[in-house]
Amino acid sequence: MQALVIAAHGSHLNPDASDPTFAHADAVRETGAFDEVREAFWKEEPHFREVLRTLESDEVYVVPLFISEGYFTERVIPRELRLEGWDVDRWDSDGTSATHATLAAADVEQTVHYCGPVGTHDAMTDVIVERAERVTGDPDVGDGFGLAVVGHGTERNENSAKAIEYHTERIRDRGRFDEVRALFMDEEPEVDDVTDFFESDDVVVVPLFIADGYHTQEDIPEDMGLTEDYREGWDVPADVDGHRIWYAGAVGTEGLMADVLLERAADAGAELGDARERVRRRLDEGADIQRAGAGAGD
């Protein structure tokens, strides 16, 4: 038997923060690829510390629903899962290339395949582009458009910016959009000045966050000038300094994120059958992803 554990942050303050996690877990569960699918959180129940003990499967694939390699993926989750012999060097990563490490967990008879975060997987590039298509309603969006990939950024963890820059470069190399830029909330170049970095009249802004919340629904819209008060909402597109800003909201709410979770598990050896095809077919058929679009937190 094989199980998938989706490890996410959650929130004590906002009960909707975990909605994308549950939505993506449901999408994976419907494929039947895993005998068991569990959600686990740092700030909510079920907690990282207990989740392995709720499973009957002897092979467990743990995929962190986080954007970057860093404190939570390198220290908190392995510690709380009691992964024996864990060391970040097992990922052999440069900050964006973590794959997986196979370990045992204390007190349980399971093999745990601990995967890198979804945010650094190559498949995330497609999710960002999908987000741009969804907000514009144009499956061919690109010509005449600029694209801003927005991250939090922090001087405390250089890997926070690496993930943003990695996907920005991959999208730029495709040559689909006229301009592609990486922007940040807490470091230069800042998203506040988004119109200074683009010549294109139309700019799609996609925040590389797991869920919509304080940063994506309050800070960024106000900082970009989409609205003076987030509570009054904003237009999509919104006219800002002679540009049309198409603000997409958190990339992690995109239904295609379930495919990235499956990719991570497959890279670690999970047997998926046609699960990826079933997830994509579900999206193509217009499955309800509103639950993934709700929520708060990052």
Side-chain angles (χ1 to χ4, degrees):
M1 294 176 66
Q2 64 177 8
L4 175 69
V5 172
I6 303 173
H9 191 282
S11 172
H12 286 155
L13 302 176
N14 193 325
D16 296 330
S18 54
D19 278 4
T21 307
F22 288 115
H24 302 319
D26 286 345
V28 173
R29 196 173 284 118
E30 287 181 14
T31 70
F34 294 91
D35 299 290
E36 301 170 284
V37 178
R38 292 283 191 279
E39 307 86 350
F41 303 95
W42 175 237
K43 292 291 187 180
E44 298 181 33
E45 297 292 338
H47 193 272
F48 296 151
R49 183 164 286 266
E50 295 116 23
V51 66
L52 294 181
R53 288 141 193 88
T54 71
L55 300 170
E56 297 181 4
S57 300
D58 51 3
E59 296 279 335
V60 182
Y61 297 85
V62 178
V63 181
L65 194 61
F66 285 77
I67 293 299
S68 305
E69 298 172 29
Y71 176 68
F72 283 101
T73 59
E74 295 175 358
R75 295 179 60 183
V76 173
I77 299 174
R79 181 192 71 212
E80 296 299 300
L81 293 178
R82 301 185 185 97
L83 298 183
E84 297 178 334
W86 164 254
D87 188 290
V88 69
D89 289 341
R90 284 178 173 266
W91 270 348
D92 190 25
S93 175
D94 61 4
T96 60
S97 57
T99 54
H100 68 278
T102 299
L103 305 136
D107 305 325
V108 293
E109 295 182 359
Q110 295 165 326
T111 299
V112 179
H113 306 279
Y114 183 51
C115 303
V118 293
T120 58
H121 195 282
D122 285 354
M124 181 62 79
T125 303
D126 294 330
V127 183
I128 295 169
V129 173
E130 179 85 5
R131 199 69 179 161
E133 294 175 359
R134 187 176 299 280
V135 73
T136 59
D138 182 1
D140 299 314
V141 64
D143 187 30
F145 275 75
L147 174 67
V149 183
V150 180
H152 192 286
T154 174
E155 295 180 355
R156 294 175 296 175
N157 180 4
E158 65 178 7
N159 287 344
S160 176
K162 280 185 178 180
I164 313 304
E165 292 164 347
Y166 179 70
H167 293 295
T168 298
E169 187 63 30
R170 282 173 53 82
I171 296 171
R172 185 181 294 122
D173 288 345
R174 295 181 180 185
R176 175 170 177 169
F177 295 87
D178 288 1
E179 305 168 273
V180 185
R181 301 280 187 273
L183 303 178
F184 303 92
M185 291 186 61
D186 285 351
E187 60 182 85
E188 296 287 344
E190 293 188 353
V191 68
D192 307 33
D193 307 312
V194 58
T195 56
D196 292 345
F197 302 109
F198 290 90
E199 295 182 3
S200 304
D201 290 337
D202 290 277
V203 180
V204 179
V205 178
V206 180
L208 201 53
F209 287 75
I210 291 298
D212 277 321
Y214 178 71
H215 290 314
T216 64
Q217 295 297 290
E218 299 180 28
D219 281 348
I220 295 176
E222 289 185 357
D223 290 346
M224 287 195 301
L226 303 186
T227 179
E228 292 185 359
D229 185 342
Y230 74 91
R231 291 169 295 186
E232 297 177 358
W234 55 86
D235 294 329
V236 180
D239 292 325
V240 180
D241 299 332
H243 298 261
R244 287 182 294 274
I245 304 298
W246 301 77
Y247 184 54
V251 72
T253 64
E254 183 63 43
L256 195 58
M257 284 291 295
D259 181 69
V260 186
L261 290 163
L262 290 169
E263 287 263 23
R264 272 293 187 209
D267 291 346
E271 298 179 4
L272 300 184
D274 64 349
R276 291 189 59 222
E277 291 77 8
R278 294 184 66 180
V279 163
R280 289 178 176 269
R281 190 181 313 125
R282 178 175 179 266
L283 294 172
D284 290 342
E285 292 172 353
D288 182 12
I289 62 168
Q290 291 305 308
R291 190 176 184 190
D298 56 17

